[in-house]
Amino acid sequence: MPKQTKKLFPTVTVILAVALAAGALLLFRGGEEPAPSSESSFTGPAQGAPTANATTAETPEDIPLWRKSPRPQEDAVVTLAFVDALTDFLVQRYHPTEGPTHSASTATFKTLNQHFGRSLDGLGRQSPEEGAARAEILNYALASDMARKLYDLYADWFLEALILRSLETPTDLTLAGGRQERRALTRDETADMLRLNAPRIEALAGTFRAVGTHPELVKDLERYLETSRKVATANDRFQEIVSRETPPEKELRKAGDRLKKVIAAREQVRADIMDRLRRFCQGHCEEDGESLYAVQWCARRLAGHPERVAVLTAMADALDNLAARFRAKAGELEAAAPSAS
């Protein structure tokens, strides 16, 4: 398949990724909203973790087991090269079990943004002008029913491509204990990678559905962003006073008290948002930082386009379906994996 290098627009890539439901996480338009205070990797016990010497790539006769779908008719905007880039992203951020250290995935909402926020193959556009092209691709991805169409087009192919990429292609792996290896993943490891990512896909779906069915969360977010701006202003004032050669004690104390007060207010708003979000997510929400990041992304997409709440719900449905596929395919891989002997 020929690769087509297209300029990526960070505001759009996450839409396309989610519309495909071909990644565990989403992009967020970087550098514009206050970043969440935490980002951590999901870690857990390896599912059917291989023994230390079980590092042999799958043999050619195994391949038909994982490639069953016919090549889809490629979308003009979201191409198969884009799907390939997402498979690479997930495999390269999987860290297999090493000794007593459990496997992990560092494919988070934030890392996806950092990775794809610069360049990406596979996005087609007509306009040569950056601003117009951004609007063109964004409007395409958020058009009514487009998320479902793209998911139906690519879901089978993506999952099979992800497995083949894992089993066939040597990758510079960082094992969970820190050691480096260049090799393909085993079938047990590929199954483990799918199981690690499935809960994150469901968490993202939960956040999308919560915002789609309760758009008042966007208003709560506006309060959070406003208090964050107040924190930044108060901190600037405090730092300016501290930097003086002889800071006035009274003025310094007043600025310090002000900073503490607005920080407390911001954290209370944040806690209120997360409490409400957890109720709406019905147990399927990511940790605070990742969920808040996703809510911020949703707020930007809904600004001036309240009709897009239906798109969020469609994306949530696609992501839930993908998570179920990940788990089912993991079971198939484990059943087909060679015995420990």
Side-chain angles (χ1 to χ4, degrees), residues 2-333:
K3 294 285 184 179
Q4 299 178 349
T5 301
K6 301 291 182 181
K7 185 177 180 72
L8 173 70
F9 305 105
T11 51
V12 188
T13 303
V14 58
I15 303 282
L16 301 177
V18 176
L20 287 171
L25 313 162
L26 290 188
L27 292 180
F28 183 78
R29 186 175 182 177
E32 296 187 357
E33 288 85 357
S37 62
S38 64
E39 177 211 355
S40 62
S41 304
F42 176 86
T43 59
Q47 302 294 329
T51 58
N53 62 352
T55 59
T56 304
E58 305 307 323
T59 56
E61 57 267 25
D62 295 314
I63 300 308
L65 183 61
W66 314 119
R67 174 60 77 203
K68 302 176 183 177
S69 301
R71 180 186 175 90
Q73 180 63 47
E74 202 165 17
D75 184 77
V77 176
V78 185
T79 72
L80 285 168
F82 182 80
V83 178
D84 288 342
L86 289 171
T87 65
D88 287 345
F89 180 86
L90 288 176
V91 173
Q92 290 166 359
R93 282 156 186 78
Y94 170 68
H95 308 291
T97 293
E98 183 181 12
T101 308
H102 293 312
S103 58
S105 172
T106 53
T108 67
F109 190 88
K110 187 174 182 180
T111 59
L112 192 63
N113 174 55
Q114 291 172 334
H115 179 74
F116 289 120
R118 299 179 181 88
S119 63
L120 181 70
D121 292 338
L123 296 180
R125 57 177 171 104
Q126 296 297 318
S127 176
E129 197 276 320
E130 182 173 312
R134 180 183 298 114
E136 174 190 328
I137 300 173
L138 183 62
N139 289 335
Y140 179 85
L142 291 177
S144 176
D145 204 36
M146 183 53 67
R148 172 55 59 185
K149 289 177 180 178
L150 288 170
Y151 181 76
D152 289 345
L153 177 64
Y154 285 138
D156 289 337
W157 183 268
F158 162 70
L159 189 50
E160 292 169 8
L162 177 59
I163 293 172
L164 287 178
R165 166 67 177 81
S166 302
L167 301 178
E168 285 190 293
T169 307
T171 299
D172 291 323
L173 298 171
T174 300
L175 305 188
R179 186 166 56 85
Q180 304 287 317
E181 283 188 357
R182 180 169 179 78
R183 61 175 175 83
L185 298 178
T186 66
R187 281 181 285 190
D188 273 340
E189 288 170 337
T190 301
D192 183 47
M193 177 185 68
L194 295 175
R195 290 195 188 280
L196 286 174
N197 280 286
R200 283 187 171 170
I201 298 173
E202 289 176 330
L204 188 60
T207 303
F208 277 12
R209 186 171 289 107
V211 178
T213 54
H214 301 278
E216 64 269 21
L217 281 166
V218 173
K219 293 293 184 182
D220 292 339
L221 179 64
E222 290 173 0
R223 290 171 49 227
Y224 173 76
L225 296 177
E226 177 59 29
T227 57
S228 295
R229 285 188 284 269
K230 290 180 179 179
V231 168
T233 299
N235 184 59
D236 288 346
R237 174 61 176 163
F238 181 77
Q239 295 301 328
E240 185 274 324
I241 296 172
V242 169
S243 67
R244 296 178 189 175
E245 186 174 344
T246 308
E249 183 177 343
K250 182 177 180 180
E251 196 172 349
L252 182 63
R253 183 171 60 253
K254 182 178 179 181
D257 290 343
R258 169 63 178 167
L259 180 57
K260 292 177 183 177
K261 181 178 180 181
V262 293
I263 289 175
R266 181 194 64 188
E267 292 309 299
Q268 183 59 59
V269 172
R270 178 193 179 100
D272 291 345
I273 292 174
M274 294 311 304
D275 286 346
R276 178 178 290 193
L277 185 59
R278 290 188 190 96
R279 291 198 301 272
F280 295 155
C281 283
Q282 300 178 338
H284 292 293
C285 275
E286 186 63 279
E287 59 184 282
D288 288 10
E290 291 295 303
S291 287
L292 189 61
Y293 214 52
V295 173
Q296 291 180 67
W297 180 84
C298 291
R300 293 190 62 81
R301 305 289 76 78
L302 293 176
H305 297 278
E307 74 281 359
R308 287 177 177 170
V309 294
V311 178
L312 294 180
T313 302
M315 288 178 175
D317 290 343
L319 289 168
D320 275 338
N321 183 273
L322 184 65
R325 287 174 182 244
F326 268 38
R327 289 193 171 95
K329 193 63 69 173
E332 290 181 30
L333 284 157

